[in-house]
Amino acid sequence: MAKWKQIYWDNQASFDDFGLTVNEKEIGNPAKKKRRIAIPNGNGYYDYAAILGEQYGERQLKYTFNLGDYRTLRKDIMNVKKIQVLNWLVPGIQRKLVDDSIPGYYFMAEVQEAPTFTEWKGTGTLAVTFTAYPFKISDKLEGNDVWDDFNFELDVAQITDLTVNGSRTVTIINTSAIKIAPDIDVTGTLTVNLNGQTVDFKAGSYSRTPIKFSRGENLITLTGTGTIYFKFRKELL
């Protein structure tokens, strides 16, 4: 028997845990944010994307679920189920949302608007809008090239966990739609030079550094002795 498509949210699944089927859905796309100023005493505008990178607004994910006991059409069962589902979806802050029709990626989202319920003879439909971070995020780190999960259209086979003894030049490919700042794990003492910027690292783990990968190929020179692991996930529209 075919399995119903569903979403996973807060460690629970819409069909497996609540019996909800998806009536309709709309995966919205984020709009670009333009940062422009008029050029004084001239024509046109200056676009700050060249400095800040392209920026995007939040996206909306809209789901309408079928809700109720379709065998008995009992309103009391329907109302209990509605309470359970609302208390599952609405409380809390932004968290991971997985739609199993988009394998390999997740959204960071939350419910900000009140869901709406339309009743019909002891059943109904519950319309829920999630407000999400603009990009789909890969559920695996780059460099984790598991053959069974490899997507030949979107993935790149590359090594992101590197050993350095002296000097080494490598290329890291960022297939994301935007610049990505990786987390970095270091053993030993290393210097990283990327796009003319030089950063020294001692042994440790780093989550906020000046290192950012531009879209496409990034040529990196590593000097010193130790290992460095660039930990990042692709983010796509």
Side-chain angles (χ1 to χ4, degrees), residues 36-92:
R36 304 192 307 168
I37 60 170
I39 298 174
N41 303 315
N43 298 315
Y45 291 82
Y46 181 80
D47 190 344
Y48 276 94
I51 299 174
L52 301 175
E54 291 184 333
Q55 297 181 318
Y56 293 81
E58 294 175 312
R59 73 196 303 162
Q60 289 193 326
L61 316 175
K62 300 178 181 180
Y63 293 87
T64 301
F65 299 104
N66 297 314
L67 188 152
D69 187 333
Y70 286 82
R71 294 168 299 177
T72 64
L73 302 180
R74 285 176 49 181
K75 285 192 177 185
D76 58 336
I77 294 177
M78 175 196 71
N79 285 322
V80 168
K81 181 66 67 177
K82 181 170 66 172
I83 291 170
Q84 290 175 327
V85 171
L86 289 173
N87 280 277
W88 167 52
L89 292 175
V90 176

Side-chain angles (χ1 to χ4, degrees), residues 12-31:
Q12 292 182 290
S14 55
F15 181 74
D16 292 345
D17 292 302
F18 296 96
L20 302 177
T21 55
V22 178
N23 185 299
E24 294 179 333
K25 71 175 175 181
E26 178 184 345
I27 306 296
N29 294 312

